[in-house]
Amino acid sequence: MNGDYLRNEALVAGLLAVGEIRNVKVVVCPPFPYISQVASLMTQSLIDVGAQNICLYKDGAYTGEVSATMLQDLGCGWVIVGHSERRTLFGEGDDVIAGKVAVALEAGLQPILCVGETLLERESGLAFDVVGRQLDAVANHIGNARIAELVVAYEPVWAIGTGKTATPEQVQTMHAYVRAHLGRGGGKADSVRILYGGSVTAANAPVLFAQDDVDGALVGGASLQADGFLAICMAAV
Ligand code: PGA
C-alpha cells in the first residue's frame, strides 16, 4: 500500500528513462487503484503490469473484491498470490491461496505464488515442512500437469521488509528444495521460475542471482526508487 498518483508518475518515468531492459522480464505490481495509471504509462515498454491480489471467485456478489477478468481489463498479465501479508494479516489459508492460483491460471493470468516460513518456524526446524505444505496445497489443487505454469517466490517472512536477507546458501538450499518438491509428483519443475524475495537490494542482488536455482527476485521496498530497482533488474540480465 505504497505510492500515490504523482509518485507513481515519477517512479515510472525513472524506470522508462533507461530505455528497454532486455533479456530480463520486469513486472511491476501496483496497488489496485493505480494499475490502469501505471499500465497506460507502460504501454510502449517491455515492462509488464500485475496485481498484488485477486479474488478467489470469478464474478458475482463479492463486495470489495477484484476478479481475474477485471485485472485483465486493467491491463494485468500477472498477479501475486499468497504474499505473506495476505496470509498473516488477512487470514488467507493454503486452500484459499491454492484456489486463487487456479482462478488466475484459468483466466490466463500468470500467478506468482509466494511461499515462506516465519522466523519461529525456521528456528524450530520447520522451514522445509512449511514451504512443502504451502506448495502441496497448490499442486493438489491445480494438478501436477500445471506445475510448469507456476512462478514461485520464496519469501522467508522474517526477511520481508526487515533488512534481513537470507544468506545465499539458505536461499539456494530452499530454492533447490522447492524445485525438487514441485517435481516430486511428476510435475515439470525444471523450468519453473523461482524468485527470491525479502530485503533484496542492488547490493545483495548479484550474489543471490548467482545461485543456481534463483531465477529472479520479488522486490518490495527497493522497488520504490527507480535507480535501486533498475540496478536489481540489471543484475538479473
Ligand atoms: P522487501 O519486500 O523487499 O521490502 O523485503 C518484499 C515483499 O514485500 O515481498
Side-chain angles (χ1 to χ4, degrees):
M1 210 162 65
N2 285 292
D4 58 40
Y5 202 84
L6 285 177
R7 277 194 288 163
N8 301 343
E9 219 164 44
L11 183 53
V12 173
L15 294 181
L16 298 180
V18 293
E20 297 302 354
I21 308 164
R22 297 193 182 270
N23 303 320
V24 58
K25 184 76 244 162
V26 181
V27 183
V28 295
C29 300
F32 288 139
Y34 301 120
I35 289 172
S36 62
Q37 178 201 11
V38 172
S40 66
L41 292 169
M42 297 283 197
T43 29
Q44 301 303 319
S45 87
L46 296 176
I47 299 177
D48 284 354
V49 178
Q52 300 178 5
N53 191 16
I54 185 174
C55 183
L56 175 60
Y57 306 106
K58 259 181 92 173
D59 55 30
Y62 299 103
T63 304
E65 291 289 308
V66 179
S67 73
T69 315
M70 293 172 185
L71 295 180
Q72 287 170 314
D73 280 347
L74 290 171
C76 286
W78 302 68
V79 60
I80 298 170
V81 179
H83 189 279
S84 76
E85 286 145 21
R86 300 302 317 166
R87 292 178 188 264
T88 57
L89 302 178
F90 301 98
E92 292 188 14
D94 288 339
D95 290 350
V96 165
I97 290 159
K100 289 184 171 196
V101 169
V103 163
L105 287 175
E106 279 314 311
L109 277 167
Q110 174 62 61
I112 302 170
L113 166 67
C114 298
V115 296
E117 80 287 356
T118 63
L119 185 59
L120 185 65
E121 289 162 342
R122 177 159 283 268
E123 286 175 350
S124 314
L126 293 171
F128 295 96
D129 289 350
V130 167
V131 170
R133 189 202 72 218
Q134 293 169 340
L135 293 172
D136 287 344
V138 173
N140 292 340
H141 196 101
I142 64 170
N144 285 319
R146 301 203 78 167
I147 289 289
E149 296 173 51
L150 294 175
V151 170
V152 177
Y154 168 56
E155 298 206 295
V157 178
W158 46 274
I160 299 175
T162 58
K164 283 187 201 149
T165 324
T167 67
E169 295 72 28
Q170 284 172 322
V171 174
Q172 170 54 29
T173 307
M174 183 59 87
H175 281 219
Y177 171 82
V178 168
R179 201 177 297 287
H181 200 84
L182 287 174
R184 261 187 349 170
K188 289 199 170 48
D190 288 355
S191 57
V192 169
R193 276 169 288 179
I194 307 175
L195 319 178
Y196 168 77
S199 301
V200 174
T201 62
N204 61 31
V207 65
L208 290 165
F209 292 154
Q211 307 306 308
D212 283 350
D213 287 294
V214 177
D215 303 311
L218 199 161
V219 185
S223 69
L224 300 175
Q225 300 294 335
D227 289 357
F229 183 63
L230 285 168
I232 295 169
C233 297
M234 298 320 272
V237 171

